[in-house]
Amino acid sequence: MATARLSPTANLLRKSRLFALPSALPLPQQDATSKTVFESDTATLPHPTRASIVTPASSLARGDWGLKRPLPAKSTSEKSSRPVVRLNVLDTFEHVTDFESAADHTVTLEKFQELHMPMSLPSKVNYATSMVPRHQSPFESVVDNTDTSKGLQEPGAKQFRHSGPWLAGQTEAEFNAYLNKVRARKPELLQKLREHFIAKRTAERRKQAQDNGEDLEALGPLNVTEEEFQRYIKTLRADPFSLGPVVFELLDLPSPPAVPSDRIGHKYYQSPGTKLSSAEYAVSGPPKTHPSAGLSYTRSHALIYNHPKFGPQAHLRPVQARILRPKGRFKGKTSKAIAGVGGIAVEDLNAMTFIEQGSPAGLAYFDASIPGGAKYWVTPIRASVDSDGRIGLASYRASATAKAPYGIEEYQKPTLTSISPVTRGEQRVVPRLDKLANLPYARRGQDMSASEQPDKGREDVARNLLRTLSSI
């Protein structure tokens, strides 16, 4: 039986990964400001906007990435041992595929997953006390809901997404456009308001009958006239405190931030209690993605590392953090130190504003004399994703108990009284390579004569010299 021949377009749809790529996300928007904004076009974005593409080693040797044309090896396999690319434009007018490396976000994801941190709902971490906010997983059925989830029917259920927009984050043009959509839905909203009024009157009637000791089953359906409904609408318009919760419920709007203190004495449209899964979302807005952002699907901190020599440990292995900016004054303001943990910039909130005793070297001020740059050891305690899609990582400085099983020590800057490790060596004299004669050595402060020293050839002397220089 002859097989049907596929057209070139059908063959492309079946074998090419081009049509499997999701559409690109919009770039992160900056806050509107009249000040000059200094930013880099090549800086790593807070979150990825395009999908990363990898290819097997057999296809990589041919430059085959499943796209319209092969990608050059000079920019992929010869530049990195594990090339990962993201596609900007498939085919330009010049018949060129525009792509770039996607290792910035993929490597950050790998580093973060090595921390074994479960994702939590956003919450403020108070570093002034030893109290750590309670971990609450975004995958729990009570909080992992949207406006269409069936879990909202459960008592005390929360949601991270509403069908309506967050009014506090809209511009004037966006708000006017949303008002036009609401005006077009006026008949539908009036019908919902009528149902809300009937449910409210029915609840009041049942409450009054229960207080009077009447039979609740004998109560018939409640009929509301048009005059009563119009009177109810006028009452809501005259009382903003009562109209606010009704509007938020009808339009399914997220909770706004708290009312400013200077507006408490005036009339305002009061919002109901927040239904968002985290109280931080009411301040900065609902999340644009799932609260976990797909970074980790672990629900609990209940992980114990079993050390092969010392047994179960209360803390995971500390992570080395690189100091990106020491604390001090930045742009005219006192700023905290910023460190990099697993490819994520983290504020070192442990650093006080005054001079600390025993703080890591390079944290209070920039020190170029530290070999390899200033670093110190930390213990990550909490990870979350804010409303803008940025990873928020909280960490404490690693304690001596957490570092002891691994033999980790902080870098100690040499002082005037410290002795260099080079001076603690055995050799006190630099050997000469132009002679094969025995050279005197001093061990542990005692001089040894040439007759006591074994004969060494030119290669042994050179090897000893290289060993001495490498220890400096």
Side-chain angles (χ1 to χ4, degrees):
M1 181 178 179
T3 58
R5 184 178 179 181
L6 298 177
S7 63
T9 304
N11 191 26
L12 180 65
L13 289 173
R14 292 186 62 182
K15 295 184 178 181
S16 176
R17 69 174 60 181
L18 170 64
F19 295 92
L21 292 177
S23 57
L25 300 177
L27 296 176
Q29 297 182 357
Q30 300 291 340
D31 297 336
T33 178
S34 59
K35 299 180 180 179
T36 304
V37 179
F38 299 94
E39 58 183 5
S40 174
D41 297 335
T42 59
T44 303
L45 297 177
H47 55 80
T49 59
R50 299 180 182 273
S52 301
I53 304 176
V54 295
T55 186
S58 58
S59 301
L60 180 62
R62 304 190 305 268
D64 183 13
W65 290 76
L67 303 176
K68 186 175 181 179
R69 57 178 58 86
L71 300 183
K74 184 178 180 180
S75 302
T76 55
S77 59
E78 296 180 2
K79 193 175 182 180
S80 174
S81 59
R82 294 190 308 162
V84 183
V85 300
R86 53 172 166 256
L87 197 63
N88 295 329
V89 181
L90 174 64
D91 192 9
T92 62
F93 183 77
E94 296 82 5
H95 303 286
V96 176
T97 300
D98 185 9
F99 69 96
E100 60 184 0
S101 175
D104 48 2
H105 289 116
T106 54
V107 174
T108 300
L109 177 61
E110 293 178 359
K111 291 181 179 179
F112 178 80
Q113 292 178 347
E114 290 179 359
L115 300 178
H116 304 288
M117 290 292 298
M119 299 303 298
S120 306
L121 291 176
S123 179
K124 288 186 177 181
V125 180
N126 187 9
Y127 287 82
T129 62
S130 59
M131 299 297 295
V132 180
R134 186 177 65 89
H135 165 70
Q136 186 176 11
S137 175
F139 297 105
E140 300 296 335
S141 59
V142 182
V143 295
D144 191 11
N145 300 306
T146 61
D147 55 298
T148 58
S149 299
K150 298 181 180 179
L152 290 177
Q153 301 176 0
E154 300 180 2
K158 301 288 185 178
Q159 59 188 106
F160 66 90
R161 183 171 299 169
H162 292 256
S163 59
W166 191 54
L167 300 182
Q170 286 188 327
T171 61
E172 184 177 359
E174 294 174 345
F175 180 70
N176 292 332
Y178 178 68
L179 284 182
N180 295 332
K181 295 181 180 179
V182 172
R183 293 190 183 99
R185 298 173 51 196
K186 184 176 180 180
E188 176 188 355
L189 295 177
L190 286 178
Q191 181 62 28
K192 289 184 178 181
L193 182 59
R194 181 184 292 273
E195 296 175 358
H196 173 78
F197 177 58
I198 294 176
K200 179 182 177 182
R201 290 288 302 273
T202 302
E204 293 176 353
R205 183 184 177 187
R206 292 177 61 88
K207 179 66 170 58
Q208 184 178 3
Q210 185 177 6
D211 295 341
N212 297 334
E214 301 177 3
D215 187 10
L216 300 180
E217 297 181 357
L219 298 177
L222 181 64
N223 296 325
V224 177
T225 61
E226 184 66 22
E227 182 180 357
E228 293 177 346
F229 180 64
Q230 294 297 331
R231 191 183 307 113
Y232 173 67
I233 294 179
K234 293 180 180 180
T235 304
L236 291 179
R237 289 176 177 175
D239 187 7
F241 285 84
S242 302
L243 178 60
V246 176
V247 172
F248 275 87
E249 182 178 354
L250 292 180
L251 301 180
D252 193 19
L253 300 176
S255 301
V259 179
S261 57
D262 56 344
R263 296 291 302 173
I264 293 180
H266 302 77
K267 287 187 177 181
Y268 59 90
Y269 293 92
Q270 186 180 11
S271 61
T274 178
K275 294 182 180 180
L276 294 172
S277 55
S278 175
E280 296 296 323
Y281 292 150
V283 180
S284 57
K288 295 180 175 60
T289 63
H290 189 270
S292 67
L295 297 177
S296 175
Y297 297 96
T298 306
R299 291 194 176 190
S300 173
H301 280 277
L303 299 175
I304 296 180
Y305 175 70
N306 191 10
H307 195 276
K309 183 177 180 180
F310 301 100
Q313 301 295 314
H315 307 278
L316 295 178
R317 180 183 175 88
V319 183
Q320 197 171 30
R322 178 181 293 275
I323 300 177
L324 304 178
R325 188 186 71 191
K327 65 179 181 180
R329 298 192 63 83
F330 181 71
K331 292 184 179 181
K333 298 181 180 179
T334 302
S335 60
K336 302 180 179 66
I338 296 180
V341 181
I344 304 171
V346 182
E347 281 191 351
D348 184 76
L349 301 183
N350 301 82
M352 304 299 178
T353 56
F354 49 87
I355 299 177
E356 296 181 87
Q357 297 294 335
S359 61
L363 189 64
Y365 56 90
F366 176 73
D367 191 354
S369 63
I370 301 177
K375 304 174 185 177
Y376 67 104
W377 296 90
V378 297
T379 301
I381 58 173
R382 187 180 177 86
S384 60
V385 177
D386 61 5
S387 301
D388 297 329
R390 299 175 182 267
I391 303 176
L393 187 63
S395 61
Y396 284 139
R397 294 180 189 172
S399 60
T401 306
K403 294 183 293 184
Y406 311 98
I408 297 174
E409 295 182 359
E410 297 285 356
Y411 171 78
Q412 299 294 336
K413 189 175 181 180
T415 59
L416 297 177
T417 58
S418 60
I419 301 177
S420 175
V422 180
T423 60
R424 300 179 184 271
E426 299 177 352
Q427 185 170 334
R428 295 293 186 268
V429 180
V430 178
R432 297 180 59 179
L433 301 180
D434 56 346
K435 292 184 179 181
L436 297 178
N438 298 331
L439 299 176
Y441 288 85
R443 295 186 178 181
R444 300 180 183 178
Q446 298 179 0
D447 296 336
M448 299 181 63
S449 61
S451 59
E452 298 176 352
Q453 191 66 230
D455 296 337
K456 292 187 177 181
R458 187 184 300 271
E459 295 181 359
D460 296 336
V461 175
R463 189 180 298 107
N464 193 7
L465 177 60
L466 291 177
R467 188 184 301 109
T468 304
L469 294 177
S470 62
S471 62
I472 299 177

